[in-house]
Amino acid sequence: MSEKRTRIGSFEFSSRLFLGTGKYSSYPVMTAALEASGCEVVTVAVRRDVLAPEGGTKPDNILDHLDLNRYTILPNTAGCFSAKDAVRSAKLSRELLEGLDHPGAKWVKLEVLADKKTLLPDPIGTLEATKALVDAGFEVLAYTGDDPIVAKHLKDAGAVSVMPLGSPIGSGQGILNPNNILLCLEYLKEDDPDYPVIVDAGVGTASDVSIAMELGADGVLLNTGIAGAADAVTMASAMNHAIQAGRLAYLSGRIPRKRYATASSPMENVIAPA
Amino acid sequence: MRIILNGQPRTAEEPTSVADLLSQLELEPVRVAVEINEDIVPRKRFGETPIRDGDRIEIVTFVGGG
């Protein structure tokens, strides 16, 4: 079966797995995990730069460890708890990436969070920031809950992709409400089947990725599920297989669930008829 | 003069530009974005943009994140 590349705004990719770059035990482990995952897009956050301590040396910058010709950087506004801070963060990212002459300057993964305990997105702040960033010329990928109505509002506000969560960030709980993800897909793709929907957050292991893809998601973004695994590089490889398995299963058209058994072997001419 | 750099009070020599400040801090201009009083300073104007007493300056870069 031939597989289309996935389009998000003005970008186009073969891999449907999008990776975060936080919480790896070291930069070499991160680099090896990115490689094993087959991803083409990596997300990074913006923070105050760390100044070198008196007489000491400055720690490595993540840009020393990312091949900007190979990976498309997707800057995020993680850690922002208001629309104003998210817009400010996005503009700083754009400035950084324009300076590096990198295509990632055009887009942003918008996160406006509501609460430090759950890190759940604030739908009202997210909608407000989406409008502001679209007006400022950004291609916005909006991280949101799994509420299909909010998802539709974000698309209507101009987001190039909506990214519903599977479960809270870093929780490893997988896809808690597959029915809502299905409704998000239905509402967002109604009359617009190629509109990209990426499940973002909550992945614990490979099957979670496959489930998201089997539901019909266009991609999955994850970080902790790989970075936090005991063997991050092998888990990245598992996620690479899972995204492909889930996508192919979705395209293949699964059988319906039935209450009773359906024999795979002929029931005729058995040696001891029932 | 006194400035607030990344939320911390700091003394800077004067007169100074954004480019001079980055050089004093041993930061590579291509790895940072700079705001003065919440307005972004475009990289090509680092050399000509002065820093004034009381400015609140943010110098940011990319870090790993999800």
Side-chain angles (χ1 to χ4, degrees):
Chain A
M1 175 176 288
S2 72
E3 165 66 314
K4 279 193 299 186
R5 284 156 66 82
T6 186
R7 286 188 68 94
I8 303 162
S10 61
F11 295 85
E12 204 176 293
F13 304 103
S14 298
S15 172
R16 291 167 180 274
L17 188 60
F18 303 81
L19 250 54
T21 54
K23 300 200 280 193
Y24 285 91
S25 55
S26 68
Y27 283 127
V29 170
M30 177 192 80
T31 310
L34 296 180
E35 164 99 38
S37 77
C39 75
E40 294 163 70
V41 177
V42 296
T43 183
V44 297
V46 172
R47 290 291 180 273
R48 286 172 166 167
D49 206 350
V50 178
L51 305 177
E54 200 73 37
T57 52
K58 198 171 146 42
D60 277 8
N61 186 291
I62 192 166
L63 294 173
D64 297 324
H65 298 275
L66 286 175
D67 180 350
L68 297 185
N69 295 315
R70 173 170 182 175
Y71 297 110
T72 301
I73 304 290
L74 172 59
N76 65 57
T77 65
C80 291
F81 287 84
S82 71
K84 178 177 175 271
D85 286 348
V87 169
R88 198 175 155 197
S89 173
K91 288 181 174 173
L92 286 164
S93 299
R94 177 161 71 182
E95 186 63 26
L96 265 160
L97 289 167
E98 278 177 351
L100 295 163
D101 201 20
H102 187 80
K106 284 190 287 190
W107 65 351
V108 65
K109 175 168 101 96
L110 174 65
E111 285 185 30
V112 181
L113 305 178
D115 167 289
K116 284 192 176 162
K117 181 153 71 177
T118 64
L119 298 178
L120 286 171
D122 172 2
I124 294 163
T126 304
L127 185 60
E128 187 186 332
T130 298
K131 289 176 182 163
L133 289 169
V134 169
D135 284 347
F138 284 89
E139 297 184 19
V140 177
L141 290 76
Y143 171 65
T144 181
D146 59 15
D147 182 309
I149 310 303
V150 173
K152 191 69 169 58
H153 281 304
L154 293 169
K155 182 185 175 190
D156 291 344
V160 298
S161 175
V162 173
M163 309 178 90
L165 56 73
S167 52
I169 293 171
S171 71
Q173 294 186 68
I175 314 297
L176 283 182
N177 194 337
N179 192 57
N180 267 25
I181 298 292
L182 280 173
L183 288 172
C184 286
L185 288 161
E186 183 182 327
Y187 279 26
L188 294 168
K189 288 174 175 286
E190 211 167 27
D191 307 321
D192 188 6
D194 292 333
Y195 186 81
V197 180
I198 298 167
V199 171
D200 179 3
V203 165
T205 189
S207 53
D208 299 331
V209 168
S210 291
I211 288 167
M213 296 307 290
E214 287 167 18
L215 294 171
D218 296 273
V220 174
L221 191 151
L222 70 105
N223 186 344
T224 309
I226 291 177
D231 179 345
V233 179
T234 304
M235 184 59 95
S237 176
M239 297 299 188
N240 188 358
H241 287 90
I243 199 117
Q244 296 181 54
R247 178 66 183 171
L248 291 173
Y250 170 72
L251 293 173
S252 306
R254 60 154 296 156
I255 60 164
R257 290 174 204 275
K258 283 172 258 176
R259 178 174 303 224
Y260 301 110
T262 313
S264 304
S265 309
M267 294 302 273
E268 299 79 35
N269 302 326
V270 291
I271 54 171
Chain B
M1 69 182 158
R2 303 283 294 166
I3 58 172
I4 306 289
L5 175 61
N6 287 356
Q8 300 293 322
R10 192 179 178 103
T11 309
E13 296 159 30
E14 51 194 311
T16 196
S17 66
V18 171
D20 293 336
L21 180 67
L22 293 177
S23 164
Q24 286 166 29
L25 297 170
E26 296 178 37
L27 295 176
E28 283 182 68
V30 77
R31 292 287 170 83
V32 298
V34 178
E35 267 184 1
I36 299 182
N37 303 325
E38 297 196 19
D39 286 325
I40 289 179
V41 181
R43 184 185 322 273
K44 54 180 178 287
R45 291 201 217 126
F46 281 178
E48 68 201 54
T49 303
I51 287 171
R52 299 191 171 90
D53 191 47
D55 277 348
R56 284 172 295 115
I57 298 160
E58 294 286 345
I59 302 177
V60 302
T61 190
F62 285 130
V63 298

